[in-house]
Amino acid sequence: MRIERERLERYRHLKREFREDKCINLNPIQRGGVLTPEAREALLEFGDGYSTCDWCPPKTARLDKIERPPIADFYEDLAKFLGMDVARVVTRCREAKFIAFRMLGEPGDYVVVDSLAHYSTYIAAELARLRVKEVPNSGHPEFRVDLDAYAEKTEEVRRETGKPPALVVLTHVDSYYGNMNDARRVAEIAHEHGVPFLLNAAYTAGVMPVDGKELGADIIVSSGHKSWAASAPTGILAMTSEMAERILRPSSIKGDLSERSFGVKELALLGCTVMGAPLLSLMASFPHVVKRVENWPEEVEKARWLVGQLERIEGTRQLGVRPKEHTLIHIESEGFFRVSQTHRRRGFFLYEELRERGIVGIQPGLTKHFKLNTYGLPWEKVRTVAEAFLEIAKRHRLSVG
Amino acid sequence: MRIERERLERYRHLKREFREDKCINLNPIQRGGVLTPEAREALLEFGDGYSTCDWCPPKTARLDKIERPPIADFYEDLAKFLGMDVARVVTRCREAKFIAFRMLGEPGDYVVVDSLAHYSTYIAAELARLRVKEVPNSGHPEFRVDLDAYAEKTEEVRRETGKPPALVVLTHVDSYYGNMNDARRVAEIAHEHGVPFLLNAAYTAGVMPVDGKELGADIIVSSGHKSWAASAPTGILAMTSEMAERILRPSSIKGDLSERSFGVKELALLGCTVMGAPLLSLMASFPHVVKRVENWPEEVEKARWLVGQLERIEGTRQLGVRPKEHTLIHIESEGFFRVSQTHRRRGFFLYEELRERGIVGIQPGLTKHFKLNTYGLPWEKVRTVAEAFLEIAKRHRLSVG
């Protein structure tokens, strides 16, 4: 039970090497989660344990009922911003998916998902005791999801099980190629088949305008720490009123002796969810987020410009649908890969030479395929990134067009 | 979709009225969650979204494998500190319970729980599709859980269902009366019946020494924001190796078309859990927590002294087992209740008069029964609390012995 003193001391002053003020970080999962100054203030103000719960109303004791700080209002505004009726902040986007799956499905039911869904979509289904049926994509180099196949797959489930799938799930923008999918098309198919449609907007809501009503979504899930300038862990679960009745169903368990029951608590939320600092960081960044989504066209422009620069390098091209409609970029580089094969540091040279130039976030060791994200970087830093790649290419005698 | 500007502006600068430096906060759920200065530093350093994931190892991509910051080491030390083999930080103590229930039980199985269990224990069972069988307590005024009845209830489950319960659960210290239960006794009974024993240490681990091995726990759950000087949401799930094999079972779902599988991910954790600031706050406070549990006897002494002072007030007594073995105190006051019946502010007078003296955390409106917690308050502040109550009593002509 005794822990060595030196080991303990290491935990006291935890430092981050890649702090936003110290480098240009291209990590694909991190660009949308950089805090606003307001969020940083909120973290300190509400850092202490259960400090959001000072004014929890005794009779309806639930996070979403708290008015000081204005959590109840925020949930309303959050729903409105996403064009939905009801919103809750949960611990992660993956938990939001699990909650929807658990409450809308029975063990053994299917969810139909795109084959580029994040791993957590599959695991959330598994934890809810559901099965997945995948919708194919076109493979290399576009990896375009075949949206029309949602109809066929939904019917396949019906033939196989005698009932429709519990949900149809679409990843709005996937985490591999940053491809944008037409949510309206999938919503139509889902509704023709009478199946609720869940849109995973982890990479879209919070960085670009997403209106669930317009897109026909019954449920939108998103990630606060990925795309809403919030601290982890924060997930967003927004729904139509109809879905909210099923997904936010109150607890109905009863103590067999005590007859205690907890009808005021939302079952799948286990009562309360993010009762602390990350929720407050999400709230504090919200005014900024509402505004920043309007800048989306320029964010895409920066990504396209960078792709153009990188593709000047011999044997280098962007994978996924062209031109980019999102800031998450997947690069395939036969050129850098060739360099890695004779370099003494193998594939690590690229990471290391970028790092010398103050650029991080490309996965160490990768050259043939790597991902990056330009979201929120000012033009000046995007230019620095382009120059760094071009310099490294030239240094290793790759031709630059 | 448009949100009024004034509404938005309110979220920008969120302030907390009851900050620790502004008042004496007796809120029973908050005393153990006050941050250390080191935790506050960590919040800022790792506030940005996925900032803990800078060094996520690509091949074993999982939070518990990260070495910079030293999360992997911390999980080892956390397990060691609790006398267990394996530990994970999850989003809440209630999620830790859900994870254990989901992975150890099949739909319809029972968990045997004490009848003073927190509501989230019941709901976690419900979400895992389990049922509860309650162990009685002695009722007013002691509310002592009948630990020997665990045997009878476990057998009752076996008679009713033909198999033992999935788990036996004991709330180490309950949230209503702050009664301490003898975990060893329940561990013995559980093991005699071959049932895993889960100890809910939300109010004990992190504030007092808890050694799972010594107590015979197979699983310990606790709450970082309640008792470990950490930000919400953080839960602790610590286990024996044997339990870890079942509870941390990897995902086995497979894409039907893509054949994608995710064997590296822990199913019930949905891959990763608290990938951000609250986890880092827990780590930064850990050296302090390891040390502070040694001061537990003095913390109990302060609670007992305060009970003695409050009981000087006419018609006032402590409920639950006597003398106190924990700092969470439940007071029954016929005296204050009598005052409330003719006071123009009804039951609110007590809250308001305490607040005028800089003391908060007693639930507004309550006089006949209210709870408070003295954990971590210096003697001087405990004395201030006692004086305030005595003054208020005298002011309303209650006799003070």
Side-chain angles (χ1 to χ4, degrees):
Chain A
M1 205 176 134
R2 209 142 199 77
I3 301 154
E4 303 76 46
R5 203 198 155 114
E6 312 89 80
R7 262 183 91 103
L8 277 179
E9 286 305 314
R10 287 194 313 153
Y11 300 125
R12 244 185 238 283
H13 300 289
L14 298 163
K15 293 291 173 202
R16 183 177 182 211
E17 289 161 88
F18 297 171
R19 246 175 43 198
E20 194 63 15
D21 54 350
K22 295 188 199 160
C23 49
I24 300 178
N25 189 346
L26 303 172
N27 193 319
I29 61 175
Q30 294 192 8
R31 297 292 333 141
V34 178
L35 295 190
T36 58
E38 292 86 350
R40 298 174 74 81
E41 267 180 49
L43 280 186
L44 286 187
E45 194 74 16
F46 289 89
D48 287 340
Y50 276 107
S51 56
T52 54
C53 304
D54 286 335
W55 292 101
C56 183
K59 288 195 180 145
T60 54
R62 233 168 56 193
L63 191 62
D64 60 294
K65 302 287 188 189
I66 293 174
E67 292 179 359
R68 293 156 78 175
I71 297 172
D73 284 350
F74 173 67
Y75 280 10
E76 271 181 31
D77 291 339
L78 181 58
K80 205 170 172 187
F81 176 61
L82 291 171
M84 305 298 280
D85 301 322
V86 179
R88 294 286 182 271
V89 175
V90 296
T91 64
R92 290 153 295 163
C93 182
R94 55 194 72 186
E95 195 200 23
K97 290 181 277 190
F98 168 71
I99 288 170
F101 295 169
R102 166 64 180 80
M103 298 310 286
L104 299 178
E106 285 302 315
D109 282 358
Y110 270 105
V111 281
V112 177
V113 306
D114 56 286
S115 48
L116 293 180
H118 191 250
Y119 82 80
S120 62
T121 302
Y122 292 79
I123 299 188
E126 185 181 2
L127 191 64
R129 300 180 190 270
L130 308 188
R131 293 181 284 177
V132 296
K133 178 77 78 184
E134 292 174 308
V135 172
N137 69 70
S138 63
H140 192 275
E142 267 199 320
F143 300 92
R144 193 188 285 269
V145 175
D146 178 8
L147 300 184
D148 290 328
Y150 269 96
E152 185 192 320
K153 292 295 171 182
T154 301
E155 278 150 30
E156 208 176 295
V157 168
R158 197 190 291 267
R159 277 198 304 278
E160 199 180 317
T161 64
K163 62 180 194 172
L167 291 105
V168 154
V169 174
L170 174 69
T171 312
H172 200 187
V173 161
D174 73 87
S175 61
Y176 303 97
Y177 306 100
N179 285 347
M180 175 82 69
N181 290 300
D182 180 5
R184 266 165 299 223
R185 179 74 197 103
V186 180
E188 254 171 44
I189 296 172
H191 295 151
E192 275 165 22
H193 289 79
V195 179
F197 170 49
L198 182 151
L199 183 67
N200 180 357
Y203 277 99
T204 54
V207 293
M208 59 171 272
V210 171
D211 184 331
K213 187 165 237 160
E214 203 182 280
L215 299 178
D218 299 295
I219 305 155
I220 288 180
V221 298
S222 189
S223 166
H225 43 281
K226 194 171 266 152
S227 299
W228 296 70
S231 289
T234 39
I236 289 157
L237 172 63
M239 300 147 282
T240 60
S241 308
E242 199 190 338
M243 282 298 117
E245 269 187 39
R246 295 173 62 192
I247 294 175
L248 302 180
R249 181 164 67 69
S251 164
S252 61
I253 200 169
K254 204 170 175 181
D256 65 319
L257 272 182
S258 67
E259 304 207 331
R260 296 167 69 191
S261 63
F262 318 96
V264 85
K265 307 291 184 181
E266 292 169 338
L267 168 60
L269 275 60
L270 294 172
C272 298
T273 55
V274 183
M275 54 291 250
L279 168 60
L280 277 286
S281 75
L282 179 68
M283 289 169 62
S285 282
F286 186 59
H288 168 75
V289 164
V290 167
K291 220 171 145 186
R292 81 179 186 181
V293 299
E294 305 302 333
N295 301 334
W296 184 246
E298 187 168 3
E299 294 293 341
V300 174
E301 202 186 317
K302 284 185 267 182
R304 287 181 183 177
W305 181 83
L306 183 62
V307 165
Q309 294 300 307
L310 295 179
E311 288 190 335
R312 290 171 58 200
I313 299 167
E314 181 188 340
T316 300
R317 64 166 169 173
Q318 173 228 312
L319 294 187
V321 176
R322 308 174 65 91
K324 289 299 307 172
E325 297 178 284
H326 193 272
T327 57
L328 189 156
I329 301 165
H330 190 129
I331 294 291
E332 178 180 72
S333 177
E334 295 292 347
F336 283 129
F337 179 62
R338 193 155 11 92
V339 174
S340 78
Q341 291 190 296
T342 57
H343 197 286
R344 134 193 100 75
R345 293 290 298 141
R346 311 295 299 181
F348 290 90
F349 85 93
L350 180 60
Y351 172 81
E352 287 165 5
E353 294 190 26
L354 286 167
R355 184 141 190 210
E356 281 162 21
R357 290 162 172 83
I359 297 166
V360 299
I362 304 288
Q363 192 179 304
L366 299 187
T367 51
K368 193 167 184 181
H369 292 106
F370 56 87
K371 298 192 297 179
L372 62 155
N373 192 341
T374 53
Y375 184 77
L377 290 178
W379 272 109
E380 185 198 324
K381 288 191 176 178
V382 179
R383 270 182 224 110
T384 305
V385 171
E387 280 157 25
F389 273 102
L390 296 176
E391 260 178 48
I392 295 168
K394 285 177 199 158
R395 207 175 152 225
H396 294 286
R397 295 163 204 235
L398 295 175
S399 67
V400 170
Chain B
M1 205 179 130
R2 209 144 197 73
I3 301 154
E4 302 78 47
R5 202 199 155 110
E6 314 88 79
R7 261 183 91 102
L8 275 180
E9 286 305 315
R10 287 194 314 151
Y11 300 124
R12 245 185 239 282
H13 300 288
L14 299 163
K15 292 290 171 204
R16 183 177 183 210
E17 290 161 88
F18 296 170
R19 244 173 45 196
E20 194 64 15
D21 53 350
K22 296 187 198 159
C23 49
I24 299 177
N25 189 346
L26 303 172
N27 193 318
I29 62 174
Q30 294 191 8
R31 298 292 333 141
V34 178
L35 295 190
T36 57
E38 291 87 350
R40 298 173 74 82
E41 266 179 49
L43 279 186
L44 286 185
E45 193 74 17
F46 290 88
D48 286 340
Y50 276 106
S51 56
T52 54
C53 305
D54 286 335
W55 292 101
C56 184
K59 290 196 178 142
T60 53
R62 233 166 60 192
L63 191 62
D64 60 294
K65 302 287 188 188
I66 293 174
E67 291 180 0
R68 296 158 74 175
I71 298 172
D73 283 350
F74 173 66
Y75 280 9
E76 270 181 33
D77 290 339
L78 182 58
K80 205 169 171 187
F81 176 60
L82 291 170
M84 305 299 280
D85 301 321
V86 179
R88 293 287 182 271
V89 174
V90 297
T91 65
R92 292 153 294 164
C93 182
R94 57 193 72 185
E95 194 201 23
K97 288 181 277 190
F98 167 71
I99 288 170
F101 294 170
R102 165 65 180 79
M103 298 308 287
L104 299 178
E106 286 302 314
D109 282 357
Y110 270 105
V111 281
V112 176
V113 306
D114 56 287
S115 49
L116 293 180
H118 191 250
Y119 80 82
S120 62
T121 301
Y122 291 80
I123 298 187
E126 185 180 3
L127 191 64
R129 302 181 189 270
L130 308 189
R131 294 181 284 178
V132 296
K133 179 78 75 184
E134 291 174 308
V135 172
N137 68 71
S138 64
H140 192 275
E142 267 200 320
F143 300 93
R144 193 189 286 268
V145 176
D146 178 7
L147 300 184
D148 291 328
Y150 270 95
E152 187 191 317
K153 292 295 170 182
T154 301
E155 278 151 30
E156 210 175 295
V157 168
R158 197 190 290 267
R159 277 197 306 275
E160 201 179 315
T161 64
K163 62 180 191 171
L167 292 104
V168 154
V169 175
L170 175 68
T171 313
H172 201 186
V173 162
D174 75 87
S175 61
Y176 303 97
Y177 306 100
N179 285 348
M180 176 82 68
N181 290 299
D182 180 6
R184 265 164 300 219
R185 179 75 196 102
V186 181
E188 254 172 44
I189 296 172
H191 295 151
E192 275 164 23
H193 290 79
V195 179
F197 170 48
L198 182 151
L199 182 68
N200 181 357
Y203 277 99
T204 54
V207 293
M208 59 172 272
V210 171
D211 183 332
K213 186 166 237 162
E214 204 182 280
L215 298 177
D218 299 296
I219 304 155
I220 288 180
V221 298
S222 189
S223 166
H225 43 282
K226 193 171 267 152
S227 299
W228 294 71
S231 289
T234 39
I236 288 156
L237 172 63
M239 300 148 282
T240 60
S241 308
E242 198 190 338
M243 283 296 118
E245 268 187 39
R246 295 173 62 190
I247 294 175
L248 302 179
R249 182 164 66 70
S251 164
S252 60
I253 199 169
K254 205 169 173 179
D256 65 318
L257 272 183
S258 67
E259 303 207 331
R260 296 167 69 191
S261 64
F262 317 96
V264 85
K265 309 291 185 182
E266 292 170 337
L267 168 60
L269 274 58
L270 295 172
C272 298
T273 56
V274 184
M275 54 289 253
L279 168 60
L280 277 287
S281 74
L282 179 68
M283 288 168 62
S285 282
F286 186 59
H288 169 76
V289 163
V290 166
K291 220 169 144 187
R292 82 180 186 182
V293 299
E294 304 302 333
N295 300 333
W296 184 245
E298 186 166 5
E299 294 294 340
V300 174
E301 201 187 318
K302 284 184 265 183
R304 288 181 183 177
W305 181 83
L306 183 62
V307 166
Q309 294 299 308
L310 295 178
E311 289 191 336
R312 290 170 58 198
I313 299 167
E314 180 187 341
T316 299
R317 64 165 168 173
Q318 173 228 312
L319 294 187
V321 175
R322 307 173 66 87
K324 289 301 304 173
E325 296 178 285
H326 193 271
T327 58
L328 190 156
I329 301 165
H330 190 130
I331 294 291
E332 177 179 73
S333 177
E334 295 293 345
F336 284 129
F337 179 62
R338 192 152 16 90
V339 174
S340 78
Q341 292 192 297
T342 57
H343 197 287
R344 127 195 105 74
R345 293 290 298 142
R346 311 295 298 181
F348 290 91
F349 85 93
L350 181 59
Y351 172 80
E352 288 163 4
E353 295 190 26
L354 285 168
R355 182 140 191 211
E356 283 162 20
R357 290 165 172 82
I359 297 166
V360 299
I362 303 287
Q363 193 179 303
L366 299 186
T367 51
K368 194 167 182 181
H369 292 106
F370 57 86
K371 297 191 297 179
L372 63 154
N373 191 342
T374 53
Y375 184 77
L377 290 177
W379 273 108
E380 185 197 322
K381 290 192 175 175
V382 178
R383 272 184 223 108
T384 305
V385 170
E387 279 157 25
F389 273 100
L390 296 175
E391 262 178 46
I392 295 168
K394 285 177 197 159
R395 202 171 157 231
H396 294 286
R397 296 166 205 238
L398 296 175
S399 68
V400 169

